Amino acid sequence: MNARIALFCLIGFVPAIALAEPIELRIVPPDVPRHDLCVPQESVAEVQARWASGTWPNGRTHAQIRRDITVLRKEDAAGNLVLIQSIIEGLAVRGSKFAGKRALLAEIEALRAAGALQEIKSRQLVQKLAAQSTGTSAQVTRALARFYQDGLGVAPDPKLADHYLMQAANLGHPDAVLTLAERRVQGSAPIGWKEPVRESVQNAFDALTTPLNAGVCERSARIARAYFSGTLVQKDAELGQVWLRFAADLGDAQAAWKIYEEQRLAEDVEPDTTLRLTYLAQAADAGLPFAQIALGRVYELGALVPQDLPRALEMYQKAAGQGHRAGLIRLALFLETHRAEFRELEGTRLEALVRLAEMETPPAWVSTRLANHKMEAGYAPSTVAGAKALYEEAAALGDREAMTRLAELLLMNPSNAAAFFRAVDLLSEAVALHGSTGAAKKLYDAYMCKAPDSPRLDEAMYWKAQYAAADPALQPVDAGNVAGVAALQSQALYRRNSALESWVSHLKEQHGAPALLAFWDGYTENYGQLLKAQSAYDQFESTDVQWRQDAKAVLAEVNAREGLLTMTALDRALRRGEWDLEALLVKEVNLGSGAALRLLAAARGKRIEETIAPHLERLVKFGDFDALNLAAPLAENPERMLDRAIGIMPCDFKSAMTLHRTAARIGNTARVAAPDHRRSSA
């Protein structure tokens, strides 16, 4: 340690008296026309490509090369560390002004950004930088102040940090000046620093805005932070926003994003939707992935602008294209939510899921979605095994859907006691962790008809009571039952279909205001398409009960997936031939619908067996309970079809009788015992 530093350490630093409050100082940015001063001239990819060959680029100035180092460090310091160190070494050899302490400082900053703090400490790089410092470089002395204050590679030494901080301020480093001025306001400045606060701040602000080069935007953000925080100058968020706009109007994407954030919160600034959207679009156009995601949400939700799903998709794809984790998540979920609108991009959705799965600690639901996709290929043993492995991964991380899906697959092997109890454990965990009433209902089904020794009535009745208590049946309400009306409205707002239907009926009975009825009509249009379809269905004149049930089932399947049909449209198709009903039914049959299979046979006037033949392979892969029972006698392996039907059967008397008839048709009545009427009604 040299004598000057030792003197500072021996004397120590006595805190100065605090000023009463932050100073009143209002300084506005210079009047500069809007232009792209701070827009990067090259992309990160272009900078990386320049240095990828290992050949030193000719004709590039030292300043330009230092900017390349900064770009590589900010983009991915850890990934680019070896390259950055080689550039620093080459530049130090080729330029005497950069050799020595400046090269050493550049390496320390790169190692710090890469998280290689132990290397800084083991190589004693900060001590070497201090030894090389002659007190003539404001940049080096300001950096040393930070290192000794934060304990970066050295033991924290506040006194030595203050020495270097004052040294940097005396050399005119504006950040050092502002830091010392703020500490004077707070009463914690070193005793050796007595510069007037107002003059110091004004001079520092002037220095931050000159020269007017690409660095001015980052320096202007320092002034904006001072006005936002209010610890040095009196808080003035609106003026802080003016400084951010100054930087953004010169092309600074980070400043544009900060304006959006301030406007989104609107805690200290006057909200301005136009301002908010303008600078969000600028940040997104500049390639900031988080801004692209935010703008995508704006277009997806249609809250501030008209909904524009293609534009939202474009934003999410841009963010995902950069490998941004949140961008990939938003892209995958967007394409899942809007699958009907973007069916041709199913491959893009899967690619996003795969890329997420390859990342460190991906979200649990990613494995669930990938397993769901596998199951869309059918129930071949290899497919089921692959899906089970993915569901296991997600279930281990607590994903509710994975727990229930895995349990469903395990229950499809009804003779396997170990699989049954594993499924029960998963469903019980879904109830305990997530309060899933659906899992409680599946536990009732499991004990009632899917255990190797079912029915296990005590356990089944317990779980029936659990899901009934959590999701009680709706009771009729009248206008005088205020609590009942409030409860019904609350459940309708939470989008329970039965509650929506009852609530709209209640409003109509009470002659609700037209505007109120219009609101709920729109609400049910968005969140309960099936309700309106069922209401229309109740008006049908058809007396064929099976046809009515099948039509209702097909309608539910289509609406659950696409939300396209109404029962009135289905009625017109049947009675008037206004559109191709058969094409719709063929599609549903190929997706595994037994109800659609019966309707298709009726529409063609053919027997079920004749109708099944062209679709048998698809029904074997995808068939629901009805389809499996209808197709089992014609399948190559009817026993396996029967086992799958048992695994997914609804636990009611009608389904039990259907299974018994199927077992009889394939000659295996021993596999399914006739149901005991007394036990089933318990």
Side-chain angles (χ1 to χ4, degrees):
M1 185 181 298
N2 62 40
R4 184 177 180 184
I5 296 176
L7 180 62
F8 272 101
C9 292
L10 288 171
I11 295 175
F13 293 86
V14 179
I17 299 173
L19 300 180
E21 60 182 12
I23 63 171
E24 182 179 352
L25 181 65
R26 182 178 175 84
I27 297 179
V28 298
D31 187 10
V32 178
R34 182 169 186 159
H35 63 288
D36 292 340
L37 178 65
C38 301
V39 175
Q41 300 302 308
E42 295 178 310
S43 68
V44 174
E46 289 173 320
V47 174
Q48 290 173 326
R50 176 182 301 115
W51 296 97
S53 65
T55 304
W56 194 264
N58 293 322
R60 198 149 180 84
T61 67
H62 290 180
Q64 290 172 328
I65 294 173
R66 290 198 300 273
R67 282 200 295 272
D68 286 352
I69 294 172
T70 301
V71 169
L72 293 170
R73 187 185 72 231
K74 289 184 176 181
E75 171 64 18
D76 181 7
N80 293 320
L81 182 58
V82 174
L83 175 58
I84 291 171
Q85 288 176 315
S86 69
I87 298 173
I88 291 171
E89 182 179 347
L91 186 59
V93 170
R94 289 168 174 81
S96 58
K97 290 184 177 180
F98 188 74
K101 58 190 176 186
R102 290 179 176 81
L104 182 55
L105 176 58
E107 185 177 13
I108 294 173
E109 294 288 12
L111 290 168
R112 178 192 59 78
L117 305 184
Q118 186 56 40
E119 183 175 348
I120 297 174
K121 183 177 181 180
S122 63
R123 291 173 57 190
Q124 297 188 330
L125 298 182
V126 173
Q127 293 92 325
K128 291 178 181 178
L129 182 65
Q132 293 181 21
S133 175
T134 58
T136 57
S137 169
Q139 182 185 16
V140 170
T141 52
R142 180 66 184 100
L144 285 169
R146 288 201 319 272
F147 299 156
Y148 279 103
Q149 185 66 45
D150 299 338
L152 179 72
V154 291
D157 189 334
K159 293 180 180 178
L160 192 53
D162 281 351
H163 160 69
Y164 283 120
L165 184 64
M166 288 195 295
Q167 197 172 71
N170 286 325
L171 291 169
H173 197 289
D175 183 72
V177 172
L178 292 176
T179 300
L180 287 167
E182 187 170 333
R183 287 177 59 180
R184 277 211 68 191
V185 171
Q186 297 169 348
S188 61
I191 194 171
W193 185 259
K194 297 181 180 180
E195 296 297 319
V197 173
R198 176 180 294 277
E199 289 78 358
S200 296
V201 174
Q202 188 157 1
N203 291 336
F205 281 6
D206 289 342
L208 287 171
T209 54
T210 54
L212 201 62
N213 55 24
V216 72
C217 293
E218 190 171 342
R219 299 194 302 269
S220 296
R222 175 69 172 89
I223 300 175
R225 289 197 299 273
Y227 281 112
F228 278 117
S229 68
T231 55
L232 173 58
V233 293
Q234 289 186 2
K235 186 172 183 177
D236 189 336
E238 294 291 348
L239 186 53
Q241 184 173 260
V242 168
W243 276 98
L244 287 177
R245 290 185 64 180
F246 170 73
D249 289 346
L250 293 178
D252 186 355
Q254 293 290 346
W257 170 253
K258 182 65 177 174
I259 294 170
Y260 164 75
E261 285 193 310
E262 292 292 334
Q263 281 290 320
R264 180 174 60 84
L265 297 173
E267 293 178 346
D268 300 312
V269 297
E270 188 70 25
D272 184 328
T273 301
T274 301
L275 197 69
R276 176 177 174 181
L277 291 175
T278 297
Y279 288 102
L280 175 60
Q282 178 183 332
D285 289 343
L288 299 185
F290 36 87
Q292 291 165 341
I293 294 168
L295 186 57
R297 290 291 286 171
V298 168
Y299 283 116
E300 182 182 359
L301 299 176
L304 301 176
V305 297
Q307 187 182 56
D308 188 338
L309 295 182
R311 179 69 169 147
L313 173 63
E314 178 189 354
M315 290 294 103
Y316 296 147
Q317 286 179 314
K318 285 182 177 180
Q322 300 182 53
H324 193 271
R325 179 187 178 96
L328 288 165
I329 288 173
R330 281 307 321 155
L331 178 61
L333 293 178
F334 174 84
L335 289 175
E336 177 181 304
T337 302
H338 301 284
R339 206 169 183 179
E341 294 93 334
F342 301 100
R343 291 193 179 281
E344 72 281 4
L345 295 179
E346 180 64 7
T348 301
R349 183 181 76 90
L350 293 173
E351 181 187 352
L353 290 173
V354 169
R355 291 175 67 188
L356 282 167
E358 292 171 348
M359 290 183 170
E360 188 175 352
T361 62
W365 55 263
V366 170
S367 294
T368 302
R369 263 60 168 195
L370 289 172
N372 292 346
H373 173 68
K374 278 187 174 293
M375 291 307 302
E376 290 177 2
Y379 285 84
S382 59
T383 300
V384 173
K388 277 184 177 178
L390 289 167
Y391 285 138
E392 286 282 9
E393 291 177 8
L397 296 173
D399 186 68
R400 179 177 65 179
E401 183 183 355
M403 293 175 185
T404 56
R405 295 280 185 128
L406 179 57
E408 289 169 356
L409 291 180
L410 292 168
L411 290 172
M412 290 178 66
N413 192 356
S415 61
N416 187 327
F420 171 79
F421 286 111
R422 168 74 171 131
V424 165
D425 287 344
L426 286 164
L427 293 172
S428 299
E429 190 174 359
V431 174
L433 290 180
H434 303 288
S436 172
T437 56
K441 174 64 169 64
K442 291 181 187 298
L443 281 164
Y444 163 78
D445 290 344
Y447 283 114
M448 180 58 76
C449 65
K450 298 179 183 180
D453 56 347
S454 61
R456 298 174 58 159
L457 293 179
D458 288 344
E459 292 98 329
M461 291 303 105
Y462 169 80
W463 287 108
K464 182 177 182 179
Q466 296 303 306
Y467 77 74
D471 192 14
L474 292 168
Q475 302 298 322
V477 297
D478 56 59
N481 182 0
V482 178
V485 170
L488 180 60
Q489 183 187 44
S490 176
Q491 292 181 49
L493 285 168
Y494 277 98
R495 304 173 188 174
R496 284 187 59 195
N497 280 353
S498 56
L500 276 167
E501 185 176 28
S502 298
W503 176 247
V504 173
S505 297
H506 170 75
L507 289 177
K508 289 178 179 177
E509 289 172 4
Q510 299 301 318
H511 305 291
L516 184 60
L517 288 171
F519 166 80
W520 283 100
D521 278 343
Y523 204 72
T524 55
E525 184 67 31
N526 291 329
Y527 299 112
Q529 297 99 326
L530 187 55
L531 295 179
K532 291 189 173 182
Q534 289 173 341
S535 297
Y537 164 86
D538 292 337
Q539 301 170 12
F540 285 177
E541 299 175 359
S542 171
T543 57
D544 186 335
V545 174
Q546 184 63 58
W547 182 93
R548 287 165 63 88
Q549 291 175 342
D550 287 341
K552 187 174 180 180
V554 171
L555 178 67
E557 290 165 358
V558 175
N559 269 320
R561 187 174 61 256
E562 301 178 8
L564 298 178
L565 294 182
T566 66
M567 204 69 201
T568 304
L570 189 59
D571 181 44
R572 285 200 304 268
L574 287 168
R575 297 175 184 273
R576 307 176 196 172
E578 291 187 3
W579 45 267
D580 192 351
L581 170 67
E582 186 167 319
L584 168 71
L585 294 177
V586 167
K587 179 180 178 181
E588 294 303 306
V589 169
N590 285 329
L591 291 171
S593 170
L597 181 63
R598 279 191 293 264
L599 286 177
L600 183 61
R604 291 175 172 174
K606 293 184 177 181
R607 296 169 55 245
I608 287 286
E609 290 77 9
E610 295 177 281
T611 310
I612 285 175
H615 309 284
L616 182 59
E617 183 179 350
R618 301 283 298 180
L619 293 172
V620 167
K621 284 186 176 182
F622 305 108
D624 61 15
F625 176 75
D626 283 340
L628 292 172
N629 279 279
L630 291 169
L634 302 178
E636 183 178 342
N637 190 341
E639 298 285 349
R640 184 159 166 261
M641 298 280 279
L642 184 64
D643 276 349
R644 278 182 49 207
I646 294 171
I648 63 175
M649 70 177 288
C651 290
D652 53 37
F653 182 78
K654 177 183 176 183
S655 300
M657 292 303 298
T658 299
L659 277 173
H660 188 64
R661 286 193 296 270
T662 302
R665 290 172 67 199
I666 67 174
N668 188 4
T669 52
R671 177 68 185 83
V672 182
D676 185 327
H677 291 244
R678 292 168 299 172
R679 297 180 74 183
S680 294
S681 62

